[in-house]
Amino acid sequence: MWSVVVAVSVIAAIAGWLLLDTVGSTGGAFVTAFAAGALIVMLADTLMPEAFELGGREAGLVTAFGFAVGFGLS
């Protein structure tokens, strides 16, 4: 199964590089926003329930702080 995941990831990375190399700044902003939204959905769906279960309410505060730091660094 993991070999298939790696193979699909390699193909997707190559296709993305070839297809999105000519995207202008407006399109690039859309792609970045879409990727950020996908990351937030993945965090909320998969990781946050376990984080709240193991870390309590502070997990949300630490997550927000992490995003703020990431935003500040960019």
Side-chain angles (χ1 to χ4, degrees), residues 7-34:
V8 170
S9 297
V10 168
I11 292 168
I14 292 170
W17 182 74
L18 291 173
L19 296 172
L20 298 176
D21 191 36
T22 60
V23 173
S25 62
T26 304
F30 174 77
V31 171
T32 302
F34 184 81

Side-chain angles (χ1 to χ4, degrees), residues 3-67:
S3 297
V4 173
V5 170
V6 170
V8 170
S9 297
V10 168
I11 292 168
I14 292 170
W17 182 74
L18 291 173
L19 296 172
L20 298 176
D21 191 36
T22 60
V23 173
S25 62
T26 304
F30 174 77
V31 171
T32 302
F34 184 81
L39 178 64
I40 291 172
V41 167
M42 187 271 308
L43 283 172
D45 187 46
T46 306
L47 299 177
M48 291 306 289
E50 185 175 349
F52 280 114
E53 181 180 320
L54 298 175
R57 293 183 344 178
E58 294 82 16
L61 181 61
V62 172
T63 303
F65 180 70
F67 274 105

